[in-house]
Amino acid sequence: MSSPRRTPTPTGATADFARAFQQIADVLQGQQAQLAQLTQQGPQNVQTNTHRVGMNDFLRHNPVKFNGKTTPDEADDWICNLEKIFEAIECTEGQKLVFSTYMLAGEAEYWWRGMRTAMEARGEVATWGDFRNRFLERYFPASAKQERERQFLELRQGSMSVQEYKLRFEYLARFYTQGLTEAWKCRRFEQGFRHPIMKALIHLKINDFPELVEQALVAERMEESQHRVVRPQKASFSGGRNQKKPYARPQQRGFGGLKCYECGGPHIRRNCPRLTVHKPEERKCFSCHKPGHFASSCPDRKIPGGATQTQKFSGEKPKAAGRVFAMTGAEASQSGNLIQDTCFLNGRCVHVLFDSGATHSFISFACLGKLELPVYDLGSELVVSTPTSGQVLTSSVCIGCSLEVAGRKFKVNLVCLPLEGLDVILGMDWLTTNGVLIDCGQQKVIFPTEEQVQMITSREVLQDIKEGAVCFVVIATEKKKSTEEQIVDIPVVEEYADVSWTNFYGSL
């Protein structure tokens, strides 16, 4: 058998197949190269989109300028608000530094310029982390954090509501440096409650903070409902009928129901004309001898303390009289008999007027506020008379003020008055107590030359010791004389000292 004959392949067809396979391979290689390029360009595209965030995107969130003139809490809030904006717009670390420094103004901007210049001089590159750390070191230092930690440990609810107390508690808890577990946080929050709320929650032992806050809010509402006063509406029990008051007088229908037991007239006995008209001259007060009342109801009757009965029932203070020659610097300058000088009151320089026409020593309200002296009540109203200003009432006094005049120290009580142009007026009470004289001709104050022993109380001694005075105790005892010394002191008996008393009595 002869084998079948094969048809020979054309020479041009083999070349066409080879070219087709080569084109398919080129297409597959191109697709693989494009896929690899897209895979490599993926992160770059994301980074390109991130860099597209600009200043307008940042300013659209309305950030606040920082000028450095704020409290540590406000500085901390400013940084926290910036971090929230940065997280929202997804900016880079470099953009965070640019955006944050752009919002600095005034003193804060000058501070950062100096800080950045110093960092560049040291070869350091400023980053957002460096800016944040140095910003908090300056405007929220460690001492402020320690103070917030102390406030957290001492925080109490007081007059705050539970919601206000919770917000303050959570804010200060951020600065607590120790481990803050949930159970310890609940116990610390529970300790600060007011007593009624703590009493309601102390036995529950709640260790979940949100649940503890919710139970505290319920206890607060129960406390408020207990203190709420429910007033019944009118006619709620009477069915709309008018009720009489238990103390109301019965309505009178004419004068038929009244009868005087003295004269039988249509009036009560205390209004009887026989009692009010009969012999009025006999109804005189034995205290003031004025008619119309008795001594028990006399308005001028003296009571213990020096006040009258009218003052007692009206609540008025007893009054005393005083006098001053001048209340202003202009009035004092017009008179040539008054001496003005500068002295020291409690270590501060004051303008003093020496007035022999003043009954008391006075101090102005302006000087009183400047020196911050303690003020006491006189117990009575002092009516101060002046030649030009009329009468001025005052009831306050500064007791035991330290006064230094011409190098000499004194204690003086100063009555408060509305003086103008004068700080202190030294009157006759101070002049007579200390033996000081006023020479009007030579315009000077004369102090006593001889040192005299001054008697002071033990309280004044203790006060002088507190002010640094040096005290010395001198103990003196009386020496007992003998009989011979006693005889020598008697002029007549001295000449007959050898005569015995038995001979003398025997001669009698």
PDB file of all heavy atoms in Angstrom, residues 277-284 291:
ATOM      1  N   VAL A 277     -61.664 112.386 128.839  1.00  0.00           N
ATOM      2  CA  VAL A 277     -61.866 113.817 129.082  1.00  0.00           C
ATOM      3  C   VAL A 277     -61.776 114.163 130.550  1.00  0.00           C
ATOM      4  O   VAL A 277     -61.436 115.274 130.930  1.00  0.00           O
ATOM      5  CB  VAL A 277     -63.234 114.260 128.512  1.00  0.00           C
ATOM      6  CG1 VAL A 277     -63.440 115.754 128.711  1.00  0.00           C
ATOM      7  CG2 VAL A 277     -63.331 113.917 127.034  1.00  0.00           C
ATOM      8  N   HIS A 278     -62.063 113.210 131.435  1.00  0.00           N
ATOM      9  CA  HIS A 278     -62.145 113.505 132.862  1.00  0.00           C
ATOM     10  C   HIS A 278     -60.761 113.784 133.430  1.00  0.00           C
ATOM     11  O   HIS A 278     -59.885 112.924 133.376  1.00  0.00           O
ATOM     12  CB  HIS A 278     -62.778 112.315 133.588  1.00  0.00           C
ATOM     13  CG  HIS A 278     -62.955 112.565 135.062  1.00  0.00           C
ATOM     14  ND1 HIS A 278     -63.793 113.544 135.549  1.00  0.00           N
ATOM     15  CD2 HIS A 278     -62.385 111.960 136.133  1.00  0.00           C
ATOM     16  CE1 HIS A 278     -63.758 113.539 136.864  1.00  0.00           C
ATOM     17  NE2 HIS A 278     -62.899 112.577 137.248  1.00  0.00           N
ATOM     18  N   LYS A 279     -60.569 115.000 133.912  1.00  0.00           N
ATOM     19  CA  LYS A 279     -59.358 115.443 134.588  1.00  0.00           C
ATOM     20  C   LYS A 279     -58.091 115.112 133.771  1.00  0.00           C
ATOM     21  O   LYS A 279     -57.277 114.284 134.167  1.00  0.00           O
ATOM     22  CB  LYS A 279     -59.241 114.826 135.985  1.00  0.00           C
ATOM     23  CG  LYS A 279     -60.348 115.274 136.908  1.00  0.00           C
ATOM     24  CD  LYS A 279     -60.168 114.669 138.285  1.00  0.00           C
ATOM     25  CE  LYS A 279     -61.285 115.121 139.228  1.00  0.00           C
ATOM     26  NZ  LYS A 279     -61.129 114.527 140.568  1.00  0.00           N
ATOM     27  N   PRO A 280     -57.931 115.719 132.610  1.00  0.00           N
ATOM     28  CA  PRO A 280     -56.742 115.391 131.813  1.00  0.00           C
ATOM     29  C   PRO A 280     -55.456 115.870 132.454  1.00  0.00           C
ATOM     30  O   PRO A 280     -54.390 115.360 132.160  1.00  0.00           O
ATOM     31  CB  PRO A 280     -57.024 116.108 130.491  1.00  0.00           C
ATOM     32  CG  PRO A 280     -57.935 117.241 130.849  1.00  0.00           C
ATOM     33  CD  PRO A 280     -58.779 116.754 131.978  1.00  0.00           C
ATOM     34  N   GLU A 281     -55.564 116.916 133.344  1.00  0.00           N
ATOM     35  CA  GLU A 281     -54.336 117.414 133.942  1.00  0.00           C
ATOM     36  C   GLU A 281     -53.705 116.421 134.890  1.00  0.00           C
ATOM     37  O   GLU A 281     -52.521 116.505 135.216  1.00  0.00           O
ATOM     38  CB  GLU A 281     -54.611 118.734 134.674  1.00  0.00           C
ATOM     39  CG  GLU A 281     -55.528 118.624 135.898  1.00  0.00           C
ATOM     40  CD  GLU A 281     -57.012 118.598 135.493  1.00  0.00           C
ATOM     41  OE1 GLU A 281     -57.288 118.667 134.270  1.00  0.00           O
ATOM     42  OE2 GLU A 281     -57.870 118.517 136.397  1.00  0.00           O
ATOM     43  N   GLU A 282     -54.484 115.410 135.328  1.00  0.00           N
ATOM     44  CA  GLU A 282     -53.913 114.426 136.238  1.00  0.00           C
ATOM     45  C   GLU A 282     -53.099 113.364 135.500  1.00  0.00           C
ATOM     46  O   GLU A 282     -52.310 112.655 136.115  1.00  0.00           O
ATOM     47  CB  GLU A 282     -55.043 113.755 137.032  1.00  0.00           C
ATOM     48  CG  GLU A 282     -55.799 114.720 137.934  1.00  0.00           C
ATOM     49  CD  GLU A 282     -56.899 114.004 138.707  1.00  0.00           C
ATOM     50  OE1 GLU A 282     -57.051 112.779 138.485  1.00  0.00           O
ATOM     51  OE2 GLU A 282     -57.577 114.670 139.514  1.00  0.00           O
ATOM     52  N   ARG A 283     -53.296 113.238 134.222  1.00  0.00           N
ATOM     53  CA  ARG A 283     -52.581 112.228 133.446  1.00  0.00           C
ATOM     54  C   ARG A 283     -51.254 112.815 132.949  1.00  0.00           C
ATOM     55  O   ARG A 283     -51.136 113.292 131.842  1.00  0.00           O
ATOM     56  CB  ARG A 283     -53.413 111.749 132.267  1.00  0.00           C
ATOM     57  CG  ARG A 283     -54.717 111.088 132.672  1.00  0.00           C
ATOM     58  CD  ARG A 283     -55.409 110.502 131.456  1.00  0.00           C
ATOM     59  NE  ARG A 283     -54.558 109.487 130.825  1.00  0.00           N
ATOM     60  CZ  ARG A 283     -54.850 108.901 129.666  1.00  0.00           C
ATOM     61  NH1 ARG A 283     -55.937 109.263 129.002  1.00  0.00           N
ATOM     62  NH2 ARG A 283     -54.050 107.993 129.165  1.00  0.00           N
ATOM     63  N   LYS A 284     -50.261 112.858 133.821  1.00  0.00           N
ATOM     64  CA  LYS A 284     -48.934 113.364 133.487  1.00  0.00           C
ATOM     65  C   LYS A 284     -47.896 112.277 133.701  1.00  0.00           C
ATOM     66  O   LYS A 284     -48.044 111.411 134.554  1.00  0.00           O
ATOM     67  CB  LYS A 284     -48.589 114.588 134.338  1.00  0.00           C
ATOM     68  CG  LYS A 284     -49.389 115.835 133.995  1.00  0.00           C
ATOM     69  CD  LYS A 284     -48.892 117.021 134.778  1.00  0.00           C
ATOM     70  CE  LYS A 284     -49.663 118.281 134.416  1.00  0.00           C
ATOM     71  NZ  LYS A 284     -49.188 119.460 135.157  1.00  0.00           N
ATOM     72  N   PRO A 291     -48.065 115.854 129.790  1.00  0.00           N
ATOM     73  CA  PRO A 291     -49.375 115.198 129.846  1.00  0.00           C
ATOM     74  C   PRO A 291     -49.590 114.303 128.629  1.00  0.00           C
ATOM     75  O   PRO A 291     -48.896 114.407 127.620  1.00  0.00           O
ATOM     76  CB  PRO A 291     -50.343 116.376 129.837  1.00  0.00           C
ATOM     77  CG  PRO A 291     -49.620 117.462 129.105  1.00  0.00           C
ATOM     78  CD  PRO A 291     -48.173 117.295 129.440  1.00  0.00           C
TER      79      PRO A 291
END
